[in-house]
Amino acid sequence: GLFIIIIYLLSKSKTFTKLITQNEKSFKGNLLLITIFGIIGMMGNYFSINYEGSLVNTRIIGVASGGLYGGPVVGIGAAVISVIHRLSVGNADFTLKACSISTIIEGMISGYSYYIAKDKRNKWVYGIFLGVICESLRKIMVLIFSKPFAKAVAVVKVIWIPMTVVNAVGLAIFIAIIDSIFTEKEKLQAYQAKLCLNIANRTLPILRKGLSRETAKIAGEIIFNMTDFDAIAITDEKEVLCHLGVGSDHHAPGGPLLTNLTKKVIQDGIYVVSKSKAEIDCKFPDCKLQSAIVLPLKIKDNIIGTLKLYRCAENSISETDVELGLGLAQLFSTQLELSMIEEQNKILALTQIKVLQNQINPHFLFNCLNTISVLCRLKPFKARKLINHLSNFYRKNLNKKDALIDIDEELEHVKSYVALEKERFKNKLKITFVRDENVNFKIPPLTLQPLVENAIQHGILPKEEGGHVAVIIKGIRNGFLICVKDDGVGIEEELLKNLNSHDFPKSSFGLESVYKRFKYFYGSNIQFNIYSKKQRGTSVIIQVRGDAVEGLNS
């Protein structure tokens, strides 16, 4: 009865629950389990009854349950502690040798029973069998090692059945209570899975719009209202998108990332559990948040932000909280990736529509054909070259279905387009290509030609005297740079500001599609900048750095 009370109290302990339910036992975990079950075995020695020089005890309960749940290491370890204590008790020497040997063997038997009963339900049945086997083994050892033999027989005849029955039933009850820990864990995991799915169902239509302050706030409110965390926060790579609950007075949306913990997760891409305020390292001295789990949000292998779950008590992020957080972060990342894929498909479809429109654009096509028809009489060889360029231009437009293509292939497409335009506008248009010979990489198809077309149509042609367009391809540290530069009429200051903040008007669809397609493949590793001055020209510069380049281009 005392042992039942003890194990019931242990089953309510978070530390014991964590130790007993871990799939992979650490050295420290095994040491703690050996100590706990060893002490229970010692208590079996303390609360024993001396009968004719033999201790009638319940030591087997600690040893056998330790082995059944901790494996051979814990079973044998608990047995050794129990035996050392049995030797130190110093009475009932008549059965001392037999009990010591049998207890070690019992630890081994119960320890290897761990592998038999590991994934089985109703382990209390194994407890009954262990109790019967181990107690019978002990009585046999008493008959073998205890002298005189007649006294050993007399003692065994009296204690065998009551000890076997009491210890087998006690062990079964003891194990049934421990098993309830696993049942509760399974129920909790089922609840978590259901909670994750409910949150996912409610956030799916929100996150399909991408990650922004508006969508983050709605998703954060859903999590905050459906869980018991003291605060919820969602960030992108640079700023807080939403913060709900405790700390919202200083973790304000639009503000910079205040904790080094968040910066570390964004940098390393690995979730971190913080057990104290010092580990969170918030710059606000009166922040009440004491523990947290910060999880990365990813699209492909690119970190696009974090999900943060906070509590106000130190060391209060449980294993359950970690599992819930990992589930939510994975679901959110998947939803955001699906939204990005959906948006990418829309952009690609619109791009292809625009390409087809360009292909059947009568002005472009007729102008090219007229130019070629004139050259057929005057310069037939040159006309033939232009026909080749025209066919290459259309063919490559139709065949651009790959996710990424070599930069050289995209340059060929641009050169075909440029050759046609140069022949039309003669000396008004000059175009040069500057390319590092040793650099090679892949880019999304139909992304360089729109930049050159913009430079010609909106930069150079409005100038009466024409101008120059330069296409520059360079290798930079861990990446590459693409620059399309012109000395045309430039861009209005207000429009330039909008373009650099990625707020693209409908008239700038070409630029928007180029930016979003690079962003999809390279994530936060891309820098997309436009520099311009009125009547001085415009430069569109795309820089891609980091491991994403090697990963996508391998």
Side-chain angles (χ1 to χ4, degrees), residues 311-343:
R311 294 197 184 279
C312 289
E314 283 199 356
N315 198 22
S316 58
I317 298 295
S318 65
E319 185 179 348
T320 303
D321 293 335
V322 173
E323 290 177 0
L324 177 61
L326 288 170
L328 288 175
Q330 181 62 52
L331 284 168
F332 279 19
S333 295
T334 302
Q335 289 174 340
L336 289 167
E337 185 166 350
L338 288 173
S339 73
M340 183 67 82
I341 291 171
E342 186 177 340
E343 183 181 7

Side-chain angles (χ1 to χ4, degrees), residues 298-318:
K298 302 179 180 180
I299 292 181
K300 295 182 179 293
D301 293 325
N302 298 313
I303 309 300
I304 62 164
T306 63
L307 170 65
K308 303 193 285 185
L309 312 174
Y310 289 103
R311 294 197 184 279
C312 289
E314 283 199 356
N315 198 22
S316 58
I317 298 295
S318 65

Side-chain angles (χ1 to χ4, degrees), residues 458-476:
H458 303 294
I460 302 302
L461 296 185
K463 286 180 68 173
E464 187 175 346
E465 69 275 20
H468 175 220
V469 176
V471 179
I472 302 166
I473 309 295
K474 294 182 64 177
I476 57 175

Side-chain angles (χ1 to χ4, degrees), residues 258-470:
L258 295 180
T259 66
N260 287 327
L261 189 66
T262 304
K263 296 173 184 176
K264 177 177 173 59
V265 170
I266 290 173
Q267 180 179 344
D268 298 341
I270 303 171
Y271 81 90
V272 176
V273 177
S274 168
K275 298 179 181 179
S276 66
K277 182 177 179 179
E279 289 182 11
I280 294 176
D281 194 21
C282 178
K283 305 304 180 186
F284 192 76
D286 297 326
C287 185
K288 295 179 181 179
L289 301 172
Q290 301 286 326
S291 55
I293 174 170
V294 183
L295 306 113
L297 299 176
K298 302 179 180 180
I299 292 181
K300 295 182 179 293
D301 293 325
N302 298 313
I303 309 300
I304 62 164
T306 63
L307 170 65
K308 303 193 285 185
L309 312 174
Y310 289 103
R311 294 197 184 279
C312 289
E314 283 199 356
N315 198 22
S316 58
I317 298 295
S318 65
E319 185 179 348
T320 303
D321 293 335
V322 173
E323 290 177 0
L324 177 61
L326 288 170
L328 288 175
Q330 181 62 52
L331 284 168
F332 279 19
S333 295
T334 302
Q335 289 174 340
L336 289 167
E337 185 166 350
L338 288 173
S339 73
M340 183 67 82
I341 291 171
E342 186 177 340
E343 183 181 7
Q344 177 71 10
N345 287 337
K346 286 180 181 177
I347 291 171
L348 186 57
L350 289 172
T351 303
Q352 290 171 339
I353 290 170
K354 186 174 184 292
V355 168
L356 291 173
Q357 288 173 340
N358 283 340
Q359 289 168 355
I360 61 174
N361 186 325
H363 296 292
F364 178 76
L365 183 58
F366 291 163
N367 285 335
C368 289
L369 291 175
N370 285 334
T371 303
I372 292 170
S373 68
V374 172
L375 289 173
C376 284
R377 287 182 298 143
L378 302 176
K379 298 179 180 179
F381 182 75
K382 193 167 189 179
R384 182 182 175 186
K385 287 181 66 177
L386 288 180
I387 290 171
N388 286 335
H389 282 304
L390 187 60
S391 63
N392 286 337
F393 177 74
Y394 286 126
R395 184 175 64 251
K396 289 181 184 296
N397 279 347
L398 290 171
N399 291 335
K400 298 236 185 282
K401 296 178 181 178
D402 295 335
L404 293 168
I405 62 170
D406 289 331
I407 183 62
D408 288 329
E409 188 177 346
E410 182 74 0
L411 280 172
E412 284 180 21
H413 178 238
V414 173
K415 288 176 180 178
S416 292
Y417 169 77
V418 164
L420 294 167
E421 293 291 65
K422 282 183 70 176
E423 189 59 38
R424 285 175 59 200
F425 299 108
K426 302 297 182 181
N427 295 332
K428 191 174 182 180
L429 180 61
K430 181 181 179 183
I431 299 181
T432 57
F433 291 87
V434 180
R435 185 193 188 290
D436 284 357
E437 291 184 1
N438 297 326
V439 63
N440 189 29
F441 53 88
K442 293 177 182 287
I443 64 172
L446 302 172
T447 49
L448 187 53
Q449 187 268 338
L451 299 181
V452 176
E453 183 179 348
N454 271 352
I456 294 172
Q457 299 295 330
H458 303 294
I460 302 302
L461 296 185
K463 286 180 68 173
E464 187 175 346
E465 69 275 20
H468 175 220
V469 176

Side-chain angles (χ1 to χ4, degrees), residues 14-276:
K14 289 183 179 180
T15 302
F16 182 75
T17 299
K18 185 177 180 180
L19 284 173
I20 209 74
T21 56
Q22 280 181 338
N23 291 326
E24 297 294 331
K25 303 290 192 297
S26 63
F27 174 78
K28 182 180 178 182
N30 278 334
L31 200 60
L32 286 170
L33 286 176
I34 289 170
T35 304
I36 291 169
F37 287 109
I39 290 172
I40 294 172
M42 289 168 56
M43 291 174 66
N45 292 330
Y46 271 123
F47 301 123
S48 58
I49 299 170
N50 191 324
Y51 175 75
E52 297 293 334
S54 173
L55 290 184
V56 182
N57 63 80
T58 52
R59 181 170 57 244
I60 184 61
I61 291 179
V63 174
S65 56
L68 194 60
Y69 284 101
V73 173
V74 176
I76 295 170
V80 169
I81 290 175
S82 300
V83 167
I84 292 171
H85 181 259
R86 172 70 178 84
L87 295 171
S88 68
V89 170
N91 58 6
D93 293 336
F94 169 61
T95 58
L96 181 61
K97 184 177 180 180
C99 289
S100 299
I101 295 172
S102 65
T103 300
I104 298 297
I105 296 173
E106 288 161 8
M108 295 172 64
I109 292 171
S110 59
Y112 284 100
S113 298
Y114 165 83
Y115 298 108
I116 299 172
K118 185 176 181 181
D119 298 318
K120 302 289 193 304
R121 294 188 176 275
N122 299 323
K123 284 185 183 172
W124 61 270
V125 175
Y126 293 88
I128 290 176
F129 281 110
L130 271 177
V132 172
I133 292 168
C134 291
E135 283 301 331
S136 298
L137 173 68
R138 187 179 303 185
K139 301 309 173 282
I140 293 170
M141 290 294 173
V142 170
L143 293 174
I144 294 172
F145 292 104
S146 300
K147 305 297 180 185
F149 181 72
K151 183 180 179 182
V153 171
V155 169
V156 167
K157 283 174 64 177
V158 173
I159 67 174
W160 191 329
I161 292 176
M163 279 190 71
T164 300
V165 171
V166 170
N167 279 319
V169 172
L171 191 56
I173 296 172
F174 200 86
I175 289 170
I177 294 173
I178 295 179
D179 257 359
S180 69
I181 296 173
F182 290 89
T183 304
E184 289 298 318
K185 184 180 180 182
E186 287 175 0
K187 288 180 180 178
L188 188 58
Q189 287 174 336
Y191 169 76
Q192 281 182 326
K194 184 179 178 181
L195 181 61
C196 274
L197 287 174
N198 287 338
I199 292 173
N201 286 334
R202 294 185 61 182
T203 56
L204 179 58
I206 308 302
L207 294 178
R208 284 180 68 178
K209 301 174 183 177
L211 192 62
S212 63
R213 289 189 199 176
E214 182 182 357
T215 58
K217 181 183 178 183
I218 299 172
E221 286 174 346
I222 291 170
I223 301 174
F224 188 69
N225 292 330
M226 294 181 70
T227 61
D228 63 346
F229 292 104
D230 296 313
I232 302 288
I234 299 174
T235 76
D236 61 13
E237 314 101 297
K238 297 178 181 178
E239 65 177 38
V240 179
L241 297 178
C242 84
H243 187 104
L244 300 148
V246 177
S248 56
D249 55 330
H250 57 282
H251 292 281
L257 303 177
L258 295 180
T259 66
N260 287 327
L261 189 66
T262 304
K263 296 173 184 176
K264 177 177 173 59
V265 170
I266 290 173
Q267 180 179 344
D268 298 341
I270 303 171
Y271 81 90
V272 176
V273 177
S274 168
K275 298 179 181 179
S276 66

